Amino acid sequence: MIAYTPEAVHDFAPQSLDDVPPILADHSVTWLDIQGLGDEKLLRHVAELFKLHPLALEDAVNVPQRPKSEVYENHYLYITRMTMLREGASELDTEQVSIFIGRNYVLTLQEHCGDVFDPVRQRINAGIGAIRTSGPDYLAYALIDTIIDGYYPVLEQIGENLEALEEKALASASKSTLREIYATKRQLLNLRRAVWPQREAVSALIRDESPLITAPVRIFLRDCYDHTVQLIDVSETFRELCGNLLDLYMSSVGMRTNDVMKVLTIISSVFIPLTFLAGIYGMNFEHIPELHVRWAYPALLGVMAVIAVGMLYVFRSIGWLGEREREREPDGSG
Amino acid sequence: MIAYTPEAVHDFAPQSLDDVPPILADHSVTWLDIQGLGDEKLLRHVAELFKLHPLALEDAVNVPQRPKSEVYENHYLYITRMTMLREGASELDTEQVSIFIGRNYVLTLQEHCGDVFDPVRQRINAGIGAIRTSGPDYLAYALIDTIIDGYYPVLEQIGENLEALEEKALASASKSTLREIYATKRQLLNLRRAVWPQREAVSALIRDESPLITAPVRIFLRDCYDHTVQLIDVSETFRELCGNLLDLYMSSVGMRTNDVMKVLTIISSVFIPLTFLAGIYGMNFEHIPELHVRWAYPALLGVMAVIAVGMLYVFRSIGWLGEREREREPDGSG
Amino acid sequence: MIAYTPEAVHDFAPQSLDDVPPILADHSVTWLDIQGLGDEKLLRHVAELFKLHPLALEDAVNVPQRPKSEVYENHYLYITRMTMLREGASELDTEQVSIFIGRNYVLTLQEHCGDVFDPVRQRINAGIGAIRTSGPDYLAYALIDTIIDGYYPVLEQIGENLEALEEKALASASKSTLREIYATKRQLLNLRRAVWPQREAVSALIRDESPLITAPVRIFLRDCYDHTVQLIDVSETFRELCGNLLDLYMSSVGMRTNDVMKVLTIISSVFIPLTFLAGIYGMNFEHIPELHVRWAYPALLGVMAVIAVGMLYVFRSIGWLGEREREREPDGSG
Amino acid sequence: MIAYTPEAVHDFAPQSLDDVPPILADHSVTWLDIQGLGDEKLLRHVAELFKLHPLALEDAVNVPQRPKSEVYENHYLYITRMTMLREGASELDTEQVSIFIGRNYVLTLQEHCGDVFDPVRQRINAGIGAIRTSGPDYLAYALIDTIIDGYYPVLEQIGENLEALEEKALASASKSTLREIYATKRQLLNLRRAVWPQREAVSALIRDESPLITAPVRIFLRDCYDHTVQLIDVSETFRELCGNLLDLYMSSVGMRTNDVMKVLTIISSVFIPLTFLAGIYGMNFEHIPELHVRWAYPALLGVMAVIAVGMLYVFRSIGWLGEREREREPDGSG
Amino acid sequence: MIAYTPEAVHDFAPQSLDDVPPILADHSVTWLDIQGLGDEKLLRHVAELFKLHPLALEDAVNVPQRPKSEVYENHYLYITRMTMLREGASELDTEQVSIFIGRNYVLTLQEHCGDVFDPVRQRINAGIGAIRTSGPDYLAYALIDTIIDGYYPVLEQIGENLEALEEKALASASKSTLREIYATKRQLLNLRRAVWPQREAVSALIRDESPLITAPVRIFLRDCYDHTVQLIDVSETFRELCGNLLDLYMSSVGMRTNDVMKVLTIISSVFIPLTFLAGIYGMNFEHIPELHVRWAYPALLGVMAVIAVGMLYVFRSIGWLGEREREREPDGSG
């Protein structure tokens, strides 16, 4: 838990919460970042200190909440979900972050420990940009912006997954592809559930006539709003592409079945009549005149060859054989 | 039928309705809970006592109604549907609950007997939270909140069902899976019909300028509203996943057909030409020179082996055989 | 054509329209019900008598119109569609009903003859409820309510059809099922076209500031509005279920094809190699050593049995055989 | 190009546009109908004469425009698309019509020559209805109404096509059916694009506070509006039915494949084991005891018959054979 | 980088930005076109010169942004995406263009170098139309109009692609068709993402009460707005057609599988029973009376012919054979 103030930066790691009030009084902006929601007593103490509305605290602590922003008497509550790209994770990881914006403080509650807010902390320490000369509303904007920006690499990764899946769906028909498509679908649905309400939440921050958010920061928040809309646009596009992937996969399977059938049909159609002919002359009738003819055997072989070639010619002419051959090559290599 | 009042809690099990007026007069908040809608005379008597609008009573008694909230002259009517998780039930059980909110009373009508409101009753008896010091509007909020919270375990169960069904759809193609998918779809549609209008109903409670609902309770109801929206979000996500399950199932069936076809094709393609060759030398022509050659038989067997191995090699090279083998293993174990 | 008035009920079967004005003058509410739109002269006469707007009359006479409600100078026009359950009818029967609401009269025009309004007539005659002591707006409400209630049994029937169709889609793959699913879909689309605009129409009745509709009746109409919304909810649910039925049917067909293929594949895979073996020893080569071995024949039969059993074991182990067996039972009985 | 005026009708075929101003001055309403957009000079002259806004003229001349209605300083521009049923046309023919409504004139521009407005012209000449005693706004209404009414026969035809296609999709699986379904889909999409914006355009005409449209004509336009909504309703219903047709077709194809498979499986399953048996006794082993038994041959034939009948019995009992038979009849006749 | 002014046209290729202020002061309208976003220093200098809001500059430089229009204190920022048809490109190429509209200047930033604005430049040089006598808002309109018009040829090309793909989907079942359908789908989704927000952006330009946009130009922008709506309409229609193409393709594949199956079934059904018959008389039983009958062999051949012809007749009568024949012709030629 770290606290910061504007003009000069002071990092505090308060042992007990009793240290907080003087810090609050001394500095124009204080940021208290609480990671992990386990310590109930501490949270209740904090709530008292900052005079948080009981419902606001409840919403911040009970996860998962729907992203939203709500005005209370003394403070603003902005609940959002952040996401992080984890190595090899098939599920989308989202985590609830609650931001309380007060007159001279920002209080953030994260579900788990993490260092997503490090860039903001660095900007404060380095004094880059307007962050140190602005109020707590600008700090809140910086935090929200950081969270929203965290979605872009996730979306990019999903986009790459989708392209890889498209190739897979066309090339092979394994069950794992099916499973991956479905998992991506679920990921996108979860993403959507996390992103959609953020648009409303940011929009509410902009529209609400609260004195806690100043006009210049509203312009910056408008930028955040545009980003959430863009996120939604992209994720909707992905969702539709993903829906089509299942159709693509099914078409691909259907076509493959078709190919298999063609092979079976061609081989059967060529050999079954020939086998029948061989069967004819394998019969033990006493009086089959052909059996005694000297050139009958080679003649029959010739007839069989003609039938086989004729069959193949017919199949080629209706496009089955050629097509299969053409198909086989990319299939074998892919 | 039980009645309660705030400062001190009194449980009444009134024998006749004539006992109610003095209770109403004595206590600041009275809650009358009627379970079962069978006794028409009683209901009419109650309606007279509380001066309920005839249409309001009609709506409360005629089930099923669409969840809604309506302002009448002397009271507020909030109709909702609650759900309960029943063991082994494939259908979603929903039950209509009507809540009449008056100046100093709350009147609830349940379709069937049940004890969903027990937690609220306990909070009243124990005097936990603000429930005893607040008016009937807070009591109504507590009841509505309890009903809405009842949907969460149901949704969780459906979510688990969906995951199990996904596995089933991929692993086996039995009709029962199909039936379950369709049943879940129907469940979700029913759930949706129960939940969607509750959002509007709660929203109406918040917006309406009725003096029966006080401002602090409106803030609590806003929380209820957020919960219904979250319920809707989740159920919509489930509905989409469920819709995709059918596609997944069909893809899975298609792929399975494909596998079956491949087995048939491979076996046929290998043996049909060989059988034809055997048929050739089973013919009874007098003059087949090969028949008299000593090493002809082993030579033919060798040729056959070469053909068979060649066929298998071709199938492997176009990816059919390997794939099938790979498929077979998880299939056999799953 | 019957006319009624409030305090005392008088049934008139006016021979000519000249009888109507004195009836209008004498009674506080008059209801003129015209069944069938054939007699143009009569309709024009009526329009003059009641000073109907030419466009209003045109809308009432030209069928089909979209349900709507419109305010004119002297009267209100409410056009709606009623439906009736007819025995063995596959198509949904809807019929246009126009209700003109004036200061002291209600004028209804029905497309065909029928007795849907009989319950209202009985209530008037019996003097049950508020109908006789209220104005023409209440009478109009009663009529609209009767029409809307007429949709419930239709929806119930469709719901039962859907359940039966679900069973059929899973059990058998006849074309008639396909036809029925499509017919139900069409029915639901028609129903939707009839019901959706009624919501708007009733809503317009409630919102419009016309003095012809009094405030208490507006509360009753709100009830009608809730019913139309409920109708829409249910029919949308049905529409989605029906859309899924087609998918269900296709999955069912796909699975059936799969089953057929399995039977073919199992039988072919077992017998084709055996037939090949038999073909080998049916060859007429002079030098096949096995042919002269005494125990060769029973040994070959044994080998064949081993191959067959081995094949069946493989098929069972990959789940094809067992599944088919399990499938066959419910299939044979269903 | 014809011009008309109210009290007495005068048909003008003005040689040059210089004739127009005096006509305009003399008559209360003048209608100038220009067919074909080729003559640019003429159009520019007309624009000057009527003081048309350059953008308005541009919109009217550049086809295709989206149907819309726009207010300009001196006039109203209503752009719409009309449709005409052409014999044997697979594509939907739509044509842009621009209607300029001024203080005392109506100016129509049609893309191609045609006589769709003949009924209106006849009504003017005959003096039927209010057309001659009303202003240019009523004339515009009459024209718009004529255009909208022109969509009804087109929709009817499409409805008939859909029913025929449904039968075809169920009965046969030719590619032409597929092509027709897709063509109808495209037709409906084009229709939709033509009809949807007309609703807005008419609605804008009604809402706009322009003095060029008088109140009574607004009531008539409300009727037009209802008609466009009805057109949209019907075309949406058709679009959904058409979308289902593709599914229906696919189900039908799937079922047909199923039937074909059943025939193959039944025939194969019956004869392959029998052929195997025959192969057994066609082997040339020296020591096959059965070969020397006198009654072995008829006995084997008997066994074969038993196997064949047994197989058929099994297939019938699992419903394959009976179903196929039942299917075959309507299939053969249809 | 070129600058222009109204009355007389001056082309500047300013070496350094210090040359710009005097040009700005001298002329009523100046247009500065910056191509490529690489030179950060230059951009920051420009921003200072024109007093651009830092967020505005950030939005213009960070690509991709969602098209939007935003009001700032001193200027208007309109961000849009333009598209260009590139030879042989399968992906849709879009490029961000930012237009800053100030009191007496227009500043455009393009992502890459290009000459899309050449037509506007020519109109300025030639002094055609109102462009030179109007303010910077009209110039901005001309630029926006040029960008929007650039979408039409792209849409046309996609429309042609769709028609070609429809033919391909019906005629052949190659994987490349599938890939093309999916690529077109993606193209349309990208197009949509580029076009949809432009509608809002143009609409915001029209609605905003900024003094930078004059009333006459608002009328021209209304025209732009109509064009974006039309673009959206067309692209939505294409999107739906494209979605149906996948279904069409699948139906086509399904039908093809059906055809393959029919060929296999017919050939198998004809020859398998005949082969069985031949097998019967190939058995080596000692006592098969038929073998010794003189005319048995020709008689059997006759029976076989009768069976074969009978089979073919049955297949023709149930419509399989004829249909296949009919199918084969267009298939062979297509």
Side-chain angles (χ1 to χ4, degrees), chain E residues 14-61:
Chain E
Q15 297 302 25
S16 79
L17 283 166
D18 303 333
D19 306 348
V20 174
I23 299 174
L24 269 176
D26 277 10
H27 300 88
S28 62
V29 182
T30 308
W31 172 24
L32 184 63
D33 183 23
I34 300 174
Q35 300 188 348
L37 304 174
D39 192 344
E40 216 188 306
K41 223 187 286 175
L42 175 89
L43 289 173
R44 207 161 294 157
H45 199 150
V46 168
E48 257 171 54
L49 206 72
F50 290 97
K51 285 172 198 144
L52 304 179
H53 193 278
L55 256 182
L57 185 68
E58 210 184 283
D59 280 352
V61 172

Side-chain angles (χ1 to χ4, degrees), chain E residues 7-266:
Chain E
E7 234 159 44
V9 183
H10 299 280
D11 267 23
F12 299 91
Q15 297 302 25
S16 79
L17 283 166
D18 303 333
D19 306 348
V20 174
I23 299 174
L24 269 176
D26 277 10
H27 300 88
S28 62
V29 182
T30 308
W31 172 24
L32 184 63
D33 183 23
I34 300 174
Q35 300 188 348
L37 304 174
D39 192 344
E40 216 188 306
K41 223 187 286 175
L42 175 89
L43 289 173
R44 207 161 294 157
H45 199 150
V46 168
E48 257 171 54
L49 206 72
F50 290 97
K51 285 172 198 144
L52 304 179
H53 193 278
L55 256 182
L57 185 68
E58 210 184 283
D59 280 352
V61 172
N62 289 332
V63 293
Q65 288 288 324
R66 210 171 170 263
K68 61 179 172 184
S69 69
E70 302 214 319
V71 202
Y72 289 96
E73 219 176 317
N74 301 309
H75 58 88
Y76 219 104
L77 169 60
Y78 183 86
I79 293 182
T80 185
R81 301 199 72 73
M82 76 180 188
T83 191
M84 271 162 62
L85 209 62
R86 251 161 243 185
E87 285 287 316
S90 69
E91 281 293 308
L92 188 77
D93 253 319
T94 62
E95 187 181 316
Q96 178 164 324
V97 178
S98 309
I99 302 175
F100 291 86
I101 310 166
R103 214 141 304 171
N104 61 345
Y105 65 88
V106 167
L107 173 67
T108 52
L109 266 85
Q110 297 181 47
E111 215 178 323
H112 304 291
C113 299
D115 43 10
V116 258
F117 288 149
D118 270 5
V120 178
R121 224 164 270 137
Q122 282 162 20
R123 269 159 67 193
I124 293 170
N125 283 321
I128 300 167
I131 199 160
R132 235 151 81 190
T133 55
S134 309
D137 51 350
Y138 189 88
L139 174 58
Y141 151 72
L143 295 171
I144 294 169
D145 197 44
T146 306
I147 289 168
I148 290 170
D149 283 353
Y151 280 94
Y152 282 98
V154 175
L155 271 182
E156 250 166 62
Q157 165 118 27
I158 292 177
E160 279 165 31
N161 277 2
L162 281 177
E163 273 182 44
L165 276 173
E166 187 198 332
E167 270 320 301
K168 273 196 203 166
L170 279 167
S172 81
S174 66
K175 251 174 210 175
S176 66
T177 310
L178 210 51
R179 208 167 257 139
E180 278 179 62
I181 293 175
Y182 196 76
T184 307
K185 188 120 210 176
R186 201 154 46 189
Q187 239 177 47
L188 282 167
L189 283 172
N190 283 339
L191 188 72
R192 184 202 196 187
R193 238 164 68 202
V195 176
W196 268 97
Q198 293 198 24
R199 190 180 63 160
E200 291 166 46
V202 175
S203 155
L205 266 188
I206 299 171
R207 274 179 298 115
D208 281 343
E209 296 291 326
S210 162
L212 293 171
I213 311 290
T214 56
V217 170
R218 275 179 217 276
I219 292 177
F220 283 101
L221 284 171
R222 217 167 54 176
D223 209 57
C224 278
Y225 178 78
D226 288 337
H227 285 170
T228 55
V229 173
Q230 201 178 21
L231 281 176
I232 290 171
D233 273 11
V234 176
S235 70
E236 288 300 297
T237 304
F238 282 175
R239 215 160 61 84
E240 242 188 81
L241 282 174
C242 192
N244 287 319
L245 268 184
L246 257 180
D247 286 345
L248 200 71
Y249 181 84
M250 278 169 83
S251 303
S252 184
V253 168
M255 222 171 61
R256 208 169 306 246
T257 303
N258 201 337
D259 287 349
V260 176
M261 292 299 309
K262 274 184 198 161
V263 171
L264 177 59
T265 302
I266 290 169

Side-chain angles (χ1 to χ4, degrees), chain D residues 3-169:
Chain D
Y4 103 100
T5 53
E7 232 159 47
V9 182
H10 298 278
D11 270 22
F12 297 92
Q15 297 302 26
S16 79
L17 284 165
D18 303 333
D19 306 348
V20 173
I23 299 173
L24 270 175
D26 278 10
H27 300 88
S28 61
V29 183
T30 308
W31 172 22
L32 183 64
D33 183 22
I34 300 174
Q35 301 189 345
L37 304 173
D39 192 344
E40 215 188 305
K41 223 187 286 176
L42 175 87
L43 289 173
R44 206 161 295 157
H45 200 150
V46 168
E48 257 171 53
L49 206 71
F50 289 98
K51 284 172 198 144
L52 305 178
H53 194 278
L55 256 182
L57 185 67
E58 210 183 283
D59 279 353
V61 172
N62 289 332
V63 292
Q65 288 288 326
R66 212 173 169 261
K68 62 179 173 183
S69 70
E70 303 214 317
V71 201
Y72 290 96
E73 217 175 318
N74 302 307
H75 58 87
Y76 219 106
L77 169 60
Y78 184 85
I79 294 183
T80 187
R81 302 198 72 74
M82 74 180 189
T83 191
M84 271 162 62
L85 210 62
R86 249 159 246 186
E87 286 288 315
S90 70
E91 282 293 307
L92 187 77
D93 253 319
T94 62
E95 189 182 314
Q96 178 163 324
V97 178
S98 309
I99 302 175
F100 291 87
I101 310 166
R103 212 141 305 171
N104 62 345
Y105 64 89
V106 168
L107 173 66
T108 53
L109 266 85
Q110 297 183 45
E111 214 178 326
H112 304 291
C113 299
D115 43 10
V116 257
F117 288 150
D118 270 5
V120 178
R121 223 163 271 137
Q122 280 162 20
R123 268 159 68 193
I124 293 169
N125 283 321
I128 300 167
I131 198 158
R132 234 150 83 191
T133 55
S134 309
D137 51 350
Y138 189 89
L139 173 58
Y141 151 72
L143 295 171
I144 293 169
D145 197 45
T146 307
I147 287 167
I148 290 171
D149 283 352
Y151 280 94
Y152 281 97
V154 174
L155 271 182
E156 251 167 61
Q157 165 119 29
I158 291 176
E160 281 166 29
N161 278 1
L162 280 176
E163 274 183 42
L165 276 174
E166 188 199 331
E167 270 320 299
K168 272 196 204 167

Side-chain angles (χ1 to χ4, degrees), chain C residues 54-65:
Chain C
L55 257 181
L57 185 67
E58 211 183 283
D59 279 354
V61 172
N62 289 332
V63 292
Q65 287 288 325

Side-chain angles (χ1 to χ4, degrees), chain B residues 53 55 58-59 64-66 68 70-72 172-175 178-179 182-183 185-186 189-190 192-193 197 239 246-247 249-250 253 256-257 259-261 263-264 267-268 271-272 274-275 277-279 281-284 290-294 296-298 300-301 304 328 331-332, chain C residues 141 162-163 166-167 170-171 219-220 222-223 226-227 229-230 233-234 237-238 240-242 244-245 247-248 250-252 254-258 261-262 264-265 268-269 272-273 275-276 279-290 311 314-315 317-318 320 323 326-327 331:
Chain B
H53 193 279
L55 256 181
E58 209 183 283
D59 280 352
Q65 287 288 324
R66 213 174 168 260
K68 62 179 172 183
E70 303 215 317
V71 201
Y72 289 96
S172 80
S174 66
K175 252 175 210 174
L178 209 52
R179 208 167 257 139
Y182 197 76
K185 187 122 210 175
R186 202 154 43 189
L189 283 172
N190 283 339
R192 181 201 199 188
R193 238 164 69 203
R239 214 161 61 85
L246 256 180
D247 286 345
Y249 181 86
M250 278 169 83
V253 167
R256 207 168 306 247
T257 302
D259 286 349
V260 175
M261 291 299 310
V263 171
L264 177 59
I267 289 182
S268 299
F271 285 104
I272 285 181
L274 302 187
T275 306
L277 275 185
Y281 293 106
M283 292 193 295
N284 297 322
E290 297 94 311
L291 293 181
H292 310 292
V293 180
R294 236 208 130 71
Y297 174 60
L300 183 68
L301 289 188
M304 282 175 169
R328 184 182 284 171
D331 215 79
Chain C
Y141 151 72
L162 280 176
E163 273 182 43
E166 187 199 332
E167 270 320 299
L170 280 168
I219 292 176
F220 284 100
R222 218 168 54 176
D223 209 58
D226 288 336
H227 286 171
V229 173
Q230 201 179 22
D233 273 12
V234 176
T237 305
F238 282 176
E240 241 187 85
L241 283 175
C242 192
N244 287 320
L245 267 183
D247 286 347
L248 200 72
M250 278 169 83
S251 303
S252 183
M255 223 170 60
R256 207 170 306 248
T257 303
N258 201 337
M261 291 299 309
K262 274 184 198 161
L264 177 60
T265 301
S268 299
S269 301
I272 284 181
T275 305
F276 163 66
I280 288 279
Y281 294 105
M283 292 192 296
N284 297 322
F285 285 110
E286 270 175 16
H287 306 282
I288 305 186
E290 297 94 312
M311 281 284 188
V314 167
F315 286 128
S317 77
I318 60 173
W320 288 6
E323 223 174 287
R326 260 182 286 126
E327 275 320 299
D331 215 79

